[in-house]
Amino acid sequence: MKEISYQPQNKEYFSKLLSFAKELFEICKELKIKPVVYGSVPYSFYTKDETININDIDLLAPESSFPKIINKIKNNKELRYEETDYHSLKIFKDNAKITFDAIEEYYKDLPHDFVEVKINDVPFTIVSLKSLKEIYKRGRDTIPFKKEQYSKKLE
């Protein structure tokens, strides 16, 4: 398992986000769900770019697991959730956000060549660098308001 110590620009918020992620990972473990992280967290792992802000954590999981997660957290007064009409489930704790995206929609036709890593002593399963680049290419080509952001990450 590869390990790094990492501090983005918004290090205090990132620390809260990691703590929140550990809490959700425990819930997922109880429910036998193994989320895979994609987006800015794997990007930071591969690039070690500490000039960025990490504002949320994006997870891939089967959409069929969303009702189980909701059922588990719905009575927790510290957590709130928002179901979307685009195959995602957003979970909030204070101002921190973690999103579960349907792996069958957001990771369609990509290899399940995931990597086990630790970032600041928090274990993650992340997408491979090759898959992350493909996700950014797809996003650049299909989400107009993200085109510039994703293009920069592909450089």
Side-chain angles (χ1 to χ4, degrees):
M1 180 178 297
K2 297 178 184 177
E3 297 184 33
I4 66 165
S5 178
Y6 176 79
Q7 296 299 326
Q9 287 290 108
N10 57 342
K11 57 185 161 200
E12 289 88 17
Y13 177 77
F14 184 61
S15 179
K16 289 179 187 175
L17 202 52
L18 289 179
S19 178
F20 180 28
K22 286 188 341 192
E23 184 179 345
L24 281 184
F25 290 163
E26 280 302 313
I27 290 168
C28 287
K29 189 175 179 179
E30 288 174 32
L31 297 172
K32 297 181 177 23
I33 299 165
K34 189 153 174 58
V36 177
V37 185
Y38 76 114
S40 57
V41 171
Y43 174 82
S44 66
F45 178 81
Y46 292 122
T47 65
K48 318 286 189 284
D49 182 356
E50 294 188 336
T51 66
I52 65 170
N53 284 320
I54 296 184
N55 299 312
D56 62 1
I57 296 178
D58 299 303
L59 304 174
L60 296 163
E63 192 164 9
S64 63
S65 68
F66 295 178
K68 296 175 196 171
I69 295 167
I70 291 168
N71 194 44
K72 186 75 174 171
I73 68 167
K74 68 182 177 188
N75 294 321
N76 184 328
K77 295 193 186 317
E78 292 183 353
L79 304 177
R80 65 187 199 289
Y81 67 91
E82 176 185 316
E83 295 178 85
T84 73
D85 57 2
Y86 48 89
H87 308 283
S88 297
L89 171 65
K90 298 176 183 183
I91 302 179
F92 303 89
K93 182 175 184 176
D94 299 323
N95 64 339
K97 177 179 79 168
I98 295 180
T99 302
F100 287 86
D101 293 321
I103 194 167
E104 57 273 29
E105 296 291 329
Y106 288 75
Y107 204 72
K108 192 178 283 186
D109 304 322
L110 289 172
H112 287 221
D113 54 350
F114 306 129
V115 181
E116 301 292 328
V117 302
K118 268 191 182 179
I119 302 174
N120 299 358
D121 294 321
V122 179
F124 291 97
T125 301
I126 64 173
V127 297
S128 70
L129 180 57
K130 183 178 178 182
S131 293
L132 183 63
K133 286 179 179 180
E134 181 59 31
I135 290 166
Y136 283 140
K137 284 178 191 169
R138 290 178 182 183
R140 177 195 63 200
D141 297 342
T142 59
I143 307 170
F145 74 93
K146 295 270 192 170
K147 184 174 185 167
E148 184 179 338
Q149 177 187 357
Y150 289 162
S151 293
K152 283 182 183 176
K153 288 186 173 183
L154 286 165
E155 292 174 355

